[in-house]
């Protein structure tokens, strides 16, 4: 483990949510630093890789951009496999996409758990915040409550177009992934990995949960 | 629903006999005059004049390309007003079809805004170029389907100027068995039916007639404007045509044949109102689940602007075509509730619209194509396509189209094929956790549309739609098994499509093998960068070698076939 060269991590991260909420745009912004108003609809799944320097270590994020149409739902089990974290995205200008959030979260938790039986770290993204905040208006506190009730480790208002909060959201997710990975390593006995189902009493960091909400009063 | 609307049924309902004997010739006679009719009836005239054909009609000399000639006659039949304008342009297939559309617009007394888009261009390609339709159409204009498919495979597709015509047969807008005399009537029926279908959902959901704009996409706003302008122009044109016809009529009144003409015009009108009545009766019983349809429209409205707008066809004023695409997709979703709309259909349909440049023909070819594809687009179909559920249709052996439909559904087979062709690469992908072959998903669903440069993607789509290699593998099998049926030597489920998949993987072997997964996002995540010619060649070689190996294994393994030499000879002859 303690090699002389930099330690590398590879994490598979899912980006899910209703169609047209901006999943592909967020990934393009995050990985390629650009934005185009007319991407093509994602069919099946697309992939992108983001490399981060993280505390003297290298973190590679393999981002899985999953098509938003509900009817492809059967496929999600295949796509979710071995993911370590997820973004669930909705469009702040379209309430229906917010309502779909719980469906996506339930689908994710039902089909994917970590080796220790826990759910993967999931961050909620309220995208297109440059276009209005219909869904969020006077809703800040409720959002935090919503996240806690639904098992999100944090939420961010983002804009792929204006590059708002995307790096921050990714950092938050990575922090939680690393925490949950440590958590799993600790539960490792000698050289066999056995899933530990004991409760770990809310060991996840809640700091990033609060620190990023400059936008709401 | 499918079976009621499908062109196959068009066939049987308005069977050729009816067209030929009752309606067809009279209509031809009435509008184009006896000379033209004669030339159609007499195959010798058409046969003998390969290349250019000169017809003496009322409007003076018209130079017709022999291959398209019959098509051109179609448009003449309905469009006397356009004769003089078009006499020089008659070889351009799209304009030929396009004018057919215009004629339908003029004839079908439907409101002008219901009519189809006018052709993007009326400019002609040089006449008399030999092409795919040479030797594929017989004197009456019937198409030899197997020769058409063979041509497409052997030549790696047809040239772009002939694509429109070839696709109309390849994708079943017109049955290959239809004659040139029947096609205008079929076309008319399809146009009437489509317009009735489109008005039906428009009446049910008036709010959805127009695309809702959120104002942030200036290009889309312009697209709507172009579309509206075009429809206004079409309306005006139709009005002018009607005016012209009225004038013509007044003039003709002085002519001797007037009485007879009037009678026949009456017949045309009667036929049209019959077609409309028939269509209305056909679709009267159809009811929509408005919630489902509205949801489909919402997704269509999301996806239509996300169609590849960089294509020339959708650029500038062409962006109005996005709205045409929208109408086609909604009409399809409304009348195929079991399929409705699925993401990716916009890409598939836009290909047809671009090639055929006709709203009506695009709708029908798209529906035909969806008959094959719809299983993939349905949730369970998609699941089946990827996940370990090897799904086989027992009833489809023998029928090439169905075979393709079934086996094309199984991406699992791509993995199985790769295991046959390159076990090392297959095992590597499996150990790297890619055994579900999710990356093949989009390749298969969209027919590799995004993996190749646009022109190449069209060509490949055309080649794959021929199912020709599948046909060969069946012939190989038949050659081997006649007279006594035996276990298959060749796995007929390995379609050419899957060979393309496997070949892409093998071509990128170097990139896939040594590189651990962590180094790259996905080694095959490269859009529009693959070289079609080399992939095609290699896929064909893989296919040939695979057939050969299977045959040899089979012969070494079990009973010796009667005549090895004969078998290999046949195998080779299928290729060269």
């Amino acid at each position: 483990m303690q090699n002389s060269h930099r330690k590398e991590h590879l994490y598979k991260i899912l980006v899910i949510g209703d169609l047209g909420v901006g999943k592909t745009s967020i990934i393009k912004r995050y990985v390629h630093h650009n934005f185009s108003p007319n991407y093509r609809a994602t069919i099946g799944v697309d992939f992108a890789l983001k490399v981060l320097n993280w505390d003297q270590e290298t973190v590679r994020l393999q981002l899985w951009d999953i098509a938003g149409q509900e009817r492809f739902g059967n496929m999600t089990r295949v796509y979710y496999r071995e993911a370590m974290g997820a973004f669930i995205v909705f469009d702040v200008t379209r309430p229906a996409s917010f309502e779909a959030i719980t469906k996506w979260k339930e689908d994710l938790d039902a089909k994917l758990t970590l080796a220790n039986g826990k759910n993967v770290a999931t961050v909620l993204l309220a995208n297109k915040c440059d276009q209005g905040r219909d869904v969020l208006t006077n809703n800040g506190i409720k959002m935090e409550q919503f996240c806690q009730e639904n098992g999100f480790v944090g939420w961010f208002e983002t804009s792929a177009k204006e590059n708002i909060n995307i790096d921050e959201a990714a950092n938050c997710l990575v922090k939680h992934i690393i925490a949950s990975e440590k958590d799993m390593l600790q539960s490792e006995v000698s050289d066999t990995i056995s899933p530990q189902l004991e409760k770990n009493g809310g060991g996840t960091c809640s700091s990033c949960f609060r620190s990023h909400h400059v936008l709401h009063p | 629903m499918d079976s009621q609307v499908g062109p196959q049924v068009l066939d049987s309902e308005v069977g050729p006999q009816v067209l030929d004997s009752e309606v067809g010739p009279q209509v031809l006679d009435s509008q184009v005059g006896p000379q033209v009719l004669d030339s159609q009836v007499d195959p010798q005239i058409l046969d003998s004049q390969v290349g250019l054909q000169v017809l003496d009609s009322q409007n003076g000399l018209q130079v017709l390309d022999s291959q398209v000639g019959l098509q051109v006659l179609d448009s003449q039949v309905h469009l006397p007003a356009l004769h003089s304008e078009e006499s020089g342009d008659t070889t351009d297939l799209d304009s030929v079809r396009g004018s057919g559309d215009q004629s339908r617009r003029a004839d079908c007394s439907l409101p002008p805004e219901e009519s189809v888009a006018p052709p993007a261009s009326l400019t002609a390609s040089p006449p008399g170029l030999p092409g795919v339709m040479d030797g594929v159409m017989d004197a009456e204009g019937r198409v030899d389907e197997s020769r058409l498919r063979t041509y497409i495979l052997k030549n790696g597709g047809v040239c772009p100027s002939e694509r429109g015509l070839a696709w109309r047969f390849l994708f079943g807008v017109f049955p290959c068995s239809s004659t040139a005399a029947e096609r205008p009537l079929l076309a008319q029926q399809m146009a009437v039916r489509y317009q009735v279908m489109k008005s039906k959902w428009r009446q049910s959901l008036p709010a959805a007639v127009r695309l809702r704009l959120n104002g942030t996409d200036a290009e889309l706003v312009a697209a709507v404007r172009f579309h509206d302008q075009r429809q206004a122009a079409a309306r005006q044109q139709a009005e002018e045509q009607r005016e012209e016809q009225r004038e013509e009529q007044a003039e003709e009144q002085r002519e001797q044949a007037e009485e007879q003409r009037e009678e026949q015009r009456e017949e045309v009108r009667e036929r049209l109102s019959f077609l409309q009545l028939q269509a209305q009766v056909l679709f009267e019983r159809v009811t929509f689940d408005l919630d489902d349809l509205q949801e489909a429209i919402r997704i269509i409205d999301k996806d239509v602007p996300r169609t590849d707008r960089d294509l020339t066809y959708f650029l500038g004023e062409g962006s109005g075509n996005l709205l045409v695409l929208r109408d086609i997709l909604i009409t399809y979703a409304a009348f195929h509730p079991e399929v409705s709309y699925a993401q990716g259909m916009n890409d598939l349909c836009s290909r047809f619209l671009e090639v055929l440049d006709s709203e009506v023909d695009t709708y029908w070819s798209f529906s035909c194509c969806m008959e094959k594809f719809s299983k993939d687009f349905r949730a369970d179909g998609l699941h089946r396509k990827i996940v370990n559920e090897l799904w086989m249709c027992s009833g489809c052996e023998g029928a090439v189209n169905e075979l393709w439909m079934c086996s094309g559904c199984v991406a699992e087979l791509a993995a199985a094929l790769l295991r046959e062709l390159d076990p090392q690469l297959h095992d590597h992908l499996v150990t790297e956790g890619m055994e579900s072959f999710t990356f093949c998903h989009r390749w298969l669903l969209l027919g590799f549309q995004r993996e190749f440069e646009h022109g190449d993607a069209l060509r490949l789509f055309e080649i794959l739609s021929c199912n020709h290699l599948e046909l060969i593998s069946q012939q190989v099998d038949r050659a081997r098994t006649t007279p006594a049926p035996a276990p298959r030597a060749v796995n007929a489920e390995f379609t050419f499509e899957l060979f393309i998949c496997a070949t892409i993987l093998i071509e990128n072997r170097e990139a896939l093998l040594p590189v651990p997964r962590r180094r790259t996002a996905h080694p095959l995540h490269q859009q529009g960068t693959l070289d079609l010619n080399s992939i095609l060649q290699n896929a064909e070689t893989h296919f040939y070698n695979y057939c050969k190996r299977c045959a040899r294994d089979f012969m070494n393994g079990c009973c010796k076939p009667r005549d090895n030499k004969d078998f290999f000879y046949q195998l080779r002859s299928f290729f060269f």
Side-chain angles (χ1 to χ4, degrees):
Chain A
M1 273 297 192
Q2 305 296 324
N3 286 337
S4 53
H5 53 263
R6 290 162 70 97
K7 200 176 158 192
E8 289 203 358
H9 302 267
L10 175 76
Y11 300 125
K12 171 175 168 179
I13 292 178
L14 307 169
V15 184
I16 54 183
D18 257 16
L19 82 162
V21 295
K23 297 179 291 295
T24 306
S25 295
I26 287 172
I27 290 173
K28 293 268 151 118
R29 170 61 79 188
Y30 185 50
V31 175
H32 304 294
H33 313 289
N34 58 23
F35 176 83
S36 149
N38 49 358
Y39 288 118
R40 288 190 269 177
T42 306
I43 304 302
V45 60
D46 267 332
F47 310 90
L49 185 79
K50 173 81 174 181
V51 183
L52 296 174
N53 291 320
W54 194 277
D55 295 340
Q56 316 302 319
E57 295 175 349
T58 304
V59 169
R60 291 173 195 275
L61 303 178
Q62 193 185 46
L63 296 154
W64 283 52
D65 178 6
I66 292 168
Q69 194 174 9
E70 203 186 332
R71 79 169 63 211
F72 290 133
N74 268 342
M75 281 308 302
T76 53
R77 188 185 298 279
V78 179
Y79 296 145
Y80 291 171
R81 256 186 31 186
E82 293 177 355
M84 289 292 289
F87 289 113
I88 298 184
V89 189
F90 71 97
D91 171 355
V92 282
T93 64
R94 207 164 60 78
S97 72
F98 179 74
E99 283 153 28
I101 289 293
T102 42
K103 243 174 16 195
W104 281 104
K105 185 72 167 75
E106 279 164 19
D107 189 54
L108 182 68
D109 291 345
K111 291 172 181 168
L112 177 69
T113 45
L114 295 172
N116 60 7
K118 289 185 180 174
N119 294 328
V120 296
T122 309
V123 168
L124 182 60
L125 302 184
N127 196 36
K128 306 194 189 180
C129 69
D130 60 291
Q131 285 184 30
R133 307 175 63 220
D134 295 10
V135 178
L136 300 174
T137 313
N138 303 323
N139 214 14
I141 295 160
K142 277 189 200 159
M143 278 302 289
E144 295 196 355
Q145 198 187 338
F146 178 86
C147 284
Q148 272 158 350
E149 283 168 2
N150 290 279
F152 289 95
V153 298
W155 75 283
F156 292 84
E157 285 183 88
T158 57
S159 164
K161 194 178 175 190
E162 304 297 335
N163 194 14
I164 297 170
N165 266 344
I166 291 175
D167 289 331
E168 290 81 351
N171 290 341
C172 170
L173 183 62
V174 171
K175 198 155 64 180
H176 282 91
I177 289 174
I178 290 177
S180 63
E181 199 181 37
K182 280 203 185 109
D183 196 39
M184 279 195 289
L185 283 174
Q186 279 165 7
S187 58
E188 223 174 271
V189 186
S190 64
D191 52 350
T192 58
I193 302 170
S194 55
Q196 303 280 306
L197 293 171
E198 74 204 66
K199 292 263 185 289
N200 250 36
T204 50
C205 144
S206 59
S207 62
C208 65
F209 197 64
R210 294 190 188 100
S211 59
H212 295 289
H213 290 98
V214 285
L215 284 171
H216 67 78
Chain B
M1 245 353 281
D2 282 5
S3 58
Q4 284 183 323
V5 202
Q8 300 85 340
V9 182
L10 293 183
D11 233 5
S12 60
E13 281 181 5
V14 195
Q17 306 87 340
V18 182
L19 290 171
D20 260 352
S21 60
E22 290 175 17
V23 204
Q26 287 164 1
V27 177
L28 293 173
D29 201 10
S30 70
Q31 291 192 332
V32 195
Q35 305 94 325
V36 179
L37 180 65
D38 280 352
S39 72
Q40 276 203 315
V41 171
D42 184 0
Q44 282 177 334
I45 295 179
L46 287 172
D47 256 358
S48 59
Q49 292 175 335
V50 181
L52 294 174
Q53 188 188 2
V54 180
L55 290 179
D56 191 8
S57 80
Q58 291 170 329
N59 296 304
L61 283 178
Q62 293 212 351
V63 182
L64 302 178
D65 177 77
S66 69
Q67 294 308 328
V68 233
L70 297 170
Q71 296 276 320
V72 176
L73 289 175
D74 297 355
S75 69
Q76 287 179 323
V77 166
H78 298 287
L79 210 59
L82 280 185
H83 278 185
S84 49
E85 295 158 27
E86 282 203 291
S87 54
D89 302 340
T90 41
T91 50
D92 183 74
L93 298 175
D94 286 341
S95 82
V96 164
R97 278 265 47 91
S99 57
D101 289 343
Q102 287 182 335
S103 72
R104 276 174 245 152
R105 181 183 319 130
D107 283 349
C108 319
S109 50
L110 286 162
E113 64 269 15
E114 299 296 316
S115 52
V116 292
S121 110
L122 284 171
T123 52
S125 57
L129 278 180
V132 61
M133 288 310 173
D134 278 325
V136 164
M137 247 187 222
D138 73 4
E140 268 93 38
R142 288 188 201 87
V143 168
D144 184 330
E145 195 172 355
S146 131
R147 275 158 88 180
L148 175 66
R149 288 168 192 272
T150 311
Y151 177 95
I152 290 173
L153 185 85
K154 290 202 168 158
N155 294 278
V158 302
C159 71
S161 66
E162 284 193 303
R163 190 159 277 153
L165 185 56
W167 280 32
R168 281 179 170 85
F169 293 106
L170 197 56
F171 294 101
V173 177
F174 296 118
C176 286
S177 58
S178 64
T179 64
E182 290 159 13
R183 285 198 280 272
L185 293 148
L186 287 172
Q188 211 167 31
Q189 187 182 39
M190 286 189 279
V192 169
R193 285 194 181 179
Y194 175 75
Q195 300 299 4
V196 168
M197 289 160 91
K198 186 165 135 183
S199 350
K200 192 165 163 85
W201 69 256
R202 287 178 155 219
Q203 278 158 15
S204 304
L205 285 175
V209 169
R210 294 185 67 81
L211 173 70
R212 241 171 304 159
L213 294 163
N214 64 6
T216 55
D217 188 339
E219 276 181 50
L220 202 58
V221 174
V224 172
R225 200 179 59 239
F226 286 129
H227 185 62
D228 291 348
Q229 282 169 0
R230 195 196 291 176
Q231 285 192 323
R235 222 170 297 150
Q236 199 185 343
Q237 205 179 345
E239 197 51 53
E240 279 167 15
Q241 270 171 21
R242 236 170 273 150
E243 197 60 44
E244 240 170 84
Q245 276 172 345
R246 235 170 274 143
E247 281 168 26
E248 221 172 83
Q249 225 169 307
E251 220 169 280
E252 282 168 7
Q253 271 167 5
R254 279 165 246 134
E255 290 173 23
Q256 283 186 329
E258 155 56 25
E259 208 171 292
Q260 192 193 352
R261 274 166 201 289
E262 192 50 53
E263 223 170 79
Q264 280 151 351
R265 219 170 264 124
E266 190 56 39
E267 266 176 58
V268 175
R269 264 196 293 274
E270 267 174 33
R271 181 165 47 83
L272 265 171
S273 53
F274 170 74
L275 284 178
Q276 269 176 337
L277 190 70
Q278 190 189 37
Q280 268 150 14
V281 168
L282 188 60
F283 301 120
E284 198 171 27
R285 286 163 294 149
V286 177
T287 50
F288 302 128
D289 181 325
L290 291 184
D291 288 342
D292 284 356
L293 185 56
Q294 262 166 330
E295 174 63 10
I297 293 174
R298 186 181 73 79
I299 301 172
I300 289 170
D301 285 351
K302 268 279 182 205
D303 272 5
V304 159
R306 295 197 283 178
T307 308
D308 196 348
R309 279 198 244 166
D310 295 333
L311 298 178
T312 329
Y313 191 72
F314 293 111
L315 276 183
E317 290 192 30
S319 61
N321 291 321
L322 290 172
L323 281 303
V324 178
L325 182 65
R326 176 181 185 268
D327 283 346
I328 298 170
L329 290 171
I330 296 176
T331 308
Y332 182 83
F335 286 85
H336 300 79
E338 73 289 353
V339 183
S340 187
Y341 175 78
Q343 287 199 287
M345 283 189 194
N346 61 326
D347 281 327
L348 191 62
C349 190
S350 74
R351 254 184 283 196
F352 286 103
L353 186 58
E354 183 197 349
V355 169
L356 306 177
D357 193 30
S358 148
E359 181 172 352
V360 172
D361 291 2
T362 299
Y363 174 81
W364 291 109
S365 54
F366 176 70
S367 324
C368 271
C369 188
M370 285 307 298
E371 292 267 306
K372 296 179 187 172
F373 269 115
S374 58
K375 288 199 167 58
D376 296 352
F377 276 103
R378 266 179 265 174
D380 61 330
L382 201 61
H383 189 57
R384 182 174 55 234
K385 200 163 181 168
I386 305 289
V387 184
N388 307 349
E389 286 177 17
L390 215 126
W391 178 77
M392 278 151 62
C393 168
S394 55
C396 71
E397 288 200 15
V400 177
N401 284 346
E402 287 167 320
L403 181 76
W404 182 66
M405 176 185 86
C406 288
S407 49
C409 284
V410 194
E412 171 78 0
L413 281 168
L417 178 59
L418 187 67
R419 195 169 54 224
E420 294 263 356
L421 299 178
D422 192 338
Q424 192 196 355
L425 182 58
H426 174 266
D427 294 349
H428 174 77
L429 291 179
V430 170
T431 51
E432 285 292 317
M434 297 196 221
E435 73 275 17
S436 51
F437 279 65
T438 46
F439 46 85
C440 288
H441 177 183
R442 190 183 63 211
W443 299 0
L444 293 169
L445 201 65
L446 296 189
F448 306 92
Q449 185 167 13
R450 297 187 188 174
E451 277 61 46
F452 293 93
E453 182 271 316
H454 179 65
D456 281 350
L458 282 181
R459 213 146 57 81
L460 180 57
F461 183 61
E462 196 167 84
I463 293 167
L464 290 176
S465 304
C466 281
N467 322 127
H468 195 77
L469 283 178
E470 288 79 345
L471 189 70
I472 290 176
S473 78
Q474 285 206 322
Q475 284 174 319
V476 168
D477 232 40
R478 214 171 295 134
R480 189 181 51 77
T481 55
T482 41
R488 285 174 175 279
V490 179
N491 187 346
E493 284 168 349
F494 289 158
T495 58
F496 192 46
E497 191 180 35
L498 294 174
F499 275 89
I500 298 274
C501 270
T503 306
I504 293 175
L505 292 172
I506 294 170
E507 294 252 302
N508 290 280
R509 191 167 202 282
E510 298 304 311
L512 286 164
L513 271 184
V515 182
R517 185 163 57 139
R518 68 187 61 192
R519 292 278 169 79
T520 165
H522 200 282
L524 296 162
H525 186 54
Q526 43 198 353
Q527 300 205 350
T529 53
L530 299 171
D531 176 14
L532 179 59
N533 284 335
S534 112
I535 299 239
L536 272 177
Q537 241 166 27
N538 292 335
E540 218 172 309
T541 309
H542 285 306
F543 181 82
Y544 176 65
N545 289 338
Y546 170 75
C547 285
K548 213 163 63 176
R549 212 187 61 219
C550 287
R552 196 177 294 132
D553 289 353
F554 177 79
M555 285 170 204
N556 291 339
C558 33
C559 58
K560 297 264 180 221
R562 299 149 295 127
D563 192 346
N564 287 3
K565 237 202 271 171
D566 179 50
F567 172 64
F568 277 114
Y569 174 77
Q570 287 206 43
L571 181 62
R572 283 201 77 80
S573 73
F574 293 134
F575 281 93
F576 307 107

